[in-house]
Amino acid sequence: MNRRTTLTAAFALTAGLALAGCDTGEAAPQLKVDGAYMPQPVTQDMAGGFLTIKNSGAADKLTSVTTNLAKDVTIHKTVGNKMEQVTSLPIPAGGELRLERGGNHLMIMGLKDKPAKGDIIGIQLHFAHAEPVNVNLPVKAINYEPKK
Ligand code: CU
């Protein structure tokens, strides 16, 4: 392949991706957040965040989480008994993304104040396609388990 055909192929691929990402509106994600909470953390350095994102529309991805109440929020998955930071998690079409104990979760680092039971931690979820969603994480007892 000479240089010109390589460039043409690269352009065709980019154009294809751009078209695929340009929705007409009929295949948009429809996201609803349920069961959000934060178990009361031991210190304000690190807290977990759990919730379920239900999607009655097209596939999307959770790409980042922000809050002005902490230094940083990262998205983690659990592999075996170790956790790994990931850049996104898929939210399948007509399915759900569960962030729960022992699985995928949010890691909230450097909270400005130590959360107490009954506090509300406001976060914002950002997606590849859908508009950002504001979520309140009520602070629950350290051993709280949500009803399934
Ligand atoms: Cu983690």
Side-chain angles (χ1 to χ4, degrees), residues 55-70:
N55 184 5
S56 54
D60 206 341
K61 278 180 189 173
L62 176 66
T63 53
S64 69
V65 182
T66 53
T67 177
N68 54 15
L69 300 176

PDB file of all heavy atoms in Angstrom, residues 55-70:
ATOM      1  N   ASN A  55     -31.333   1.331  31.068  1.00  0.00           N
ATOM      2  CA  ASN A  55     -31.339   1.908  29.727  1.00  0.00           C
ATOM      3  C   ASN A  55     -32.423   1.256  28.887  1.00  0.00           C
ATOM      4  O   ASN A  55     -32.320   0.085  28.525  1.00  0.00           O
ATOM      5  CB  ASN A  55     -29.966   1.687  29.085  1.00  0.00           C
ATOM      6  CG  ASN A  55     -29.850   2.333  27.723  1.00  0.00           C
ATOM      7  OD1 ASN A  55     -30.754   3.030  27.280  1.00  0.00           O
ATOM      8  ND2 ASN A  55     -28.734   2.089  27.059  1.00  0.00           N
ATOM      9  N   SER A  56     -33.482   2.027  28.579  1.00  0.00           N
ATOM     10  CA  SER A  56     -34.547   1.474  27.744  1.00  0.00           C
ATOM     11  C   SER A  56     -34.347   1.874  26.282  1.00  0.00           C
ATOM     12  O   SER A  56     -35.211   1.641  25.440  1.00  0.00           O
ATOM     13  CB  SER A  56     -35.912   1.941  28.250  1.00  0.00           C
ATOM     14  OG  SER A  56     -35.929   3.346  28.345  1.00  0.00           O
ATOM     15  N   GLY A  57     -33.201   2.479  25.967  1.00  0.00           N
ATOM     16  CA  GLY A  57     -32.933   2.902  24.593  1.00  0.00           C
ATOM     17  C   GLY A  57     -31.701   2.241  24.024  1.00  0.00           C
ATOM     18  O   GLY A  57     -31.384   1.102  24.354  1.00  0.00           O
ATOM     19  N   ALA A  58     -30.982   2.982  23.187  1.00  0.00           N
ATOM     20  CA  ALA A  58     -29.792   2.461  22.504  1.00  0.00           C
ATOM     21  C   ALA A  58     -28.599   2.420  23.456  1.00  0.00           C
ATOM     22  O   ALA A  58     -28.587   3.098  24.483  1.00  0.00           O
ATOM     23  CB  ALA A  58     -29.476   3.349  21.301  1.00  0.00           C
ATOM     24  N   ALA A  59     -27.601   1.636  23.089  1.00  0.00           N
ATOM     25  CA  ALA A  59     -26.414   1.449  23.919  1.00  0.00           C
ATOM     26  C   ALA A  59     -25.693   2.769  24.183  1.00  0.00           C
ATOM     27  O   ALA A  59     -25.675   3.668  23.343  1.00  0.00           O
ATOM     28  CB  ALA A  59     -25.466   0.464  23.245  1.00  0.00           C
ATOM     29  N   ASP A  60     -25.114   2.883  25.356  1.00  0.00           N
ATOM     30  CA  ASP A  60     -24.327   4.065  25.716  1.00  0.00           C
ATOM     31  C   ASP A  60     -23.175   3.596  26.597  1.00  0.00           C
ATOM     32  O   ASP A  60     -22.995   2.388  26.800  1.00  0.00           O
ATOM     33  CB  ASP A  60     -25.219   5.084  26.443  1.00  0.00           C
ATOM     34  CG  ASP A  60     -24.696   6.514  26.289  1.00  0.00           C
ATOM     35  OD1 ASP A  60     -23.511   6.682  25.946  1.00  0.00           O
ATOM     36  OD2 ASP A  60     -25.463   7.448  26.539  1.00  0.00           O
ATOM     37  N   LYS A  61     -22.409   4.558  27.079  1.00  0.00           N
ATOM     38  CA  LYS A  61     -21.276   4.246  27.961  1.00  0.00           C
ATOM     39  C   LYS A  61     -21.214   5.297  29.044  1.00  0.00           C
ATOM     40  O   LYS A  61     -21.376   6.487  28.747  1.00  0.00           O
ATOM     41  CB  LYS A  61     -19.953   4.345  27.187  1.00  0.00           C
ATOM     42  CG  LYS A  61     -19.573   3.157  26.384  1.00  0.00           C
ATOM     43  CD  LYS A  61     -18.249   3.472  25.715  1.00  0.00           C
ATOM     44  CE  LYS A  61     -17.885   2.413  24.701  1.00  0.00           C
ATOM     45  NZ  LYS A  61     -16.697   2.811  23.961  1.00  0.00           N
ATOM     46  N   LEU A  62     -20.903   4.867  30.255  1.00  0.00           N
ATOM     47  CA  LEU A  62     -20.568   5.794  31.333  1.00  0.00           C
ATOM     48  C   LEU A  62     -19.103   6.153  31.147  1.00  0.00           C
ATOM     49  O   LEU A  62     -18.235   5.274  31.180  1.00  0.00           O
ATOM     50  CB  LEU A  62     -20.794   5.131  32.690  1.00  0.00           C
ATOM     51  CG  LEU A  62     -20.396   5.963  33.916  1.00  0.00           C
ATOM     52  CD1 LEU A  62     -21.286   7.193  34.063  1.00  0.00           C
ATOM     53  CD2 LEU A  62     -20.446   5.108  35.172  1.00  0.00           C
ATOM     54  N   THR A  63     -18.806   7.439  30.893  1.00  0.00           N
ATOM     55  CA  THR A  63     -17.435   7.806  30.547  1.00  0.00           C
ATOM     56  C   THR A  63     -16.708   8.576  31.652  1.00  0.00           C
ATOM     57  O   THR A  63     -15.483   8.553  31.695  1.00  0.00           O
ATOM     58  CB  THR A  63     -17.408   8.656  29.264  1.00  0.00           C
ATOM     59  OG1 THR A  63     -18.314   9.743  29.446  1.00  0.00           O
ATOM     60  CG2 THR A  63     -17.823   7.833  28.060  1.00  0.00           C
ATOM     61  N   SER A  64     -17.442   9.286  32.513  1.00  0.00           N
ATOM     62  CA  SER A  64     -16.783   9.955  33.633  1.00  0.00           C
ATOM     63  C   SER A  64     -17.818  10.381  34.655  1.00  0.00           C
ATOM     64  O   SER A  64     -19.018  10.418  34.372  1.00  0.00           O
ATOM     65  CB  SER A  64     -15.957  11.160  33.177  1.00  0.00           C
ATOM     66  OG  SER A  64     -16.808  12.196  32.737  1.00  0.00           O
ATOM     67  N   VAL A  65     -17.328  10.696  35.845  1.00  0.00           N
ATOM     68  CA  VAL A  65     -18.193  11.129  36.945  1.00  0.00           C
ATOM     69  C   VAL A  65     -17.514  12.319  37.607  1.00  0.00           C
ATOM     70  O   VAL A  65     -16.301  12.293  37.828  1.00  0.00           O
ATOM     71  CB  VAL A  65     -18.393   9.983  37.965  1.00  0.00           C
ATOM     72  CG1 VAL A  65     -19.322  10.413  39.087  1.00  0.00           C
ATOM     73  CG2 VAL A  65     -18.943   8.734  37.261  1.00  0.00           C
ATOM     74  N   THR A  66     -18.291  13.362  37.871  1.00  0.00           N
ATOM     75  CA  THR A  66     -17.708  14.554  38.484  1.00  0.00           C
ATOM     76  C   THR A  66     -18.508  14.952  39.720  1.00  0.00           C
ATOM     77  O   THR A  66     -19.674  14.593  39.868  1.00  0.00           O
ATOM     78  CB  THR A  66     -17.689  15.733  37.485  1.00  0.00           C
ATOM     79  OG1 THR A  66     -19.007  15.911  36.962  1.00  0.00           O
ATOM     80  CG2 THR A  66     -16.732  15.466  36.340  1.00  0.00           C
ATOM     81  N   THR A  67     -17.863  15.688  40.602  1.00  0.00           N
ATOM     82  CA  THR A  67     -18.531  16.286  41.759  1.00  0.00           C
ATOM     83  C   THR A  67     -17.660  17.427  42.246  1.00  0.00           C
ATOM     84  O   THR A  67     -16.432  17.372  42.105  1.00  0.00           O
ATOM     85  CB  THR A  67     -18.757  15.272  42.901  1.00  0.00           C
ATOM     86  OG1 THR A  67     -19.357  15.960  44.005  1.00  0.00           O
ATOM     87  CG2 THR A  67     -17.458  14.621  43.378  1.00  0.00           C
ATOM     88  N   ASN A  68     -18.300  18.467  42.812  1.00  0.00           N
ATOM     89  CA  ASN A  68     -17.477  19.533  43.382  1.00  0.00           C
ATOM     90  C   ASN A  68     -17.237  19.291  44.867  1.00  0.00           C
ATOM     91  O   ASN A  68     -16.685  20.132  45.554  1.00  0.00           O
ATOM     92  CB  ASN A  68     -18.082  20.922  43.106  1.00  0.00           C
ATOM     93  CG  ASN A  68     -19.511  21.016  43.566  1.00  0.00           C
ATOM     94  OD1 ASN A  68     -19.981  20.166  44.330  1.00  0.00           O
ATOM     95  ND2 ASN A  68     -20.209  22.039  43.121  1.00  0.00           N
ATOM     96  N   LEU A  69     -17.649  18.117  45.375  1.00  0.00           N
ATOM     97  CA  LEU A  69     -17.487  17.797  46.794  1.00  0.00           C
ATOM     98  C   LEU A  69     -16.257  16.935  47.055  1.00  0.00           C
ATOM     99  O   LEU A  69     -15.987  16.565  48.195  1.00  0.00           O
ATOM    100  CB  LEU A  69     -18.737  17.054  47.297  1.00  0.00           C
ATOM    101  CG  LEU A  69     -20.046  17.839  47.160  1.00  0.00           C
ATOM    102  CD1 LEU A  69     -21.223  16.979  47.585  1.00  0.00           C
ATOM    103  CD2 LEU A  69     -19.996  19.116  47.986  1.00  0.00           C
ATOM    104  N   ALA A  70     -15.523  16.571  45.976  1.00  0.00           N
ATOM    105  CA  ALA A  70     -14.344  15.715  46.141  1.00  0.00           C
ATOM    106  C   ALA A  70     -13.312  16.074  45.084  1.00  0.00           C
ATOM    107  O   ALA A  70     -13.621  16.738  44.088  1.00  0.00           O
ATOM    108  CB  ALA A  70     -14.739  14.243  46.012  1.00  0.00           C
TER     109      ALA A  70
END
